[in-house]
Amino acid sequence: MKLQSREFDVLYKHGRRWHTPAFVLVVMDAPSLKWGVIASKKIGSAVERNRAKRRLRALFRQAMDTLKPAAYLLIAKEQIDRVPFDQMVRDFAFALAKCGVSTPHKKVLIGQNNHQNTL
């Protein structure tokens, strides 16, 4: 389920954060799984922002079955277009573990069935 606009503000202000070279993960406990992505104008043109959001959505969808119910926000950084997708997957798995929301017995698959690598 996607985050509502008022939930973005609460999550952004009060959530746990983990920074990576390509994005920032913000997490807050919630009764159900909710998520959203942000790519500001700092990323570049509309085309570049849309590409960044596609990559973040692909990243989230790939790991969805390993996530605990919580509210997740992925915020694109300016470096997102320079970081390979495989590295983003590894960073996302590490960030999830650091924020305490990844199920320990499941791992994010790295590089398997990843047609998103070419984004």
Side-chain angles (χ1 to χ4, degrees), residues 16-111:
R16 296 182 304 269
R17 296 170 188 261
W18 189 264
H19 292 260
T20 72
F23 59 88
V24 178
L25 172 66
V26 185
V27 179
M28 192 167 74
D29 293 332
S32 63
L33 182 68
K34 293 185 176 189
W35 60 282
V37 296
I38 295 176
S40 71
K41 288 188 177 183
K42 284 192 249 179
I43 302 302
S45 68
V47 172
E48 293 167 322
R49 291 192 305 272
N50 287 334
R51 183 180 305 123
K53 289 189 284 187
R54 278 195 310 270
R55 293 183 86 196
L56 292 175
R57 283 191 298 264
L59 190 64
F60 187 83
R61 286 185 182 125
Q62 184 174 345
M64 196 175 286
D65 64 339
T66 67
L67 302 177
K68 295 179 181 177
Y72 299 88
L73 181 60
L74 289 170
I75 305 169
K77 287 186 171 181
E78 292 178 55
Q79 297 287 329
I80 193 165
D81 62 336
R82 295 182 198 100
V83 178
F85 190 77
D86 290 342
Q87 181 63 44
M88 287 177 56
V89 170
R90 287 189 295 273
D91 290 345
F92 187 56
F94 187 76
L96 289 170
K98 284 296 188 179
C99 290
V101 291
S102 183
T103 307
H105 66 279
K106 294 183 180 178
K107 293 184 179 178
V108 176
L109 297 177
I110 298 173

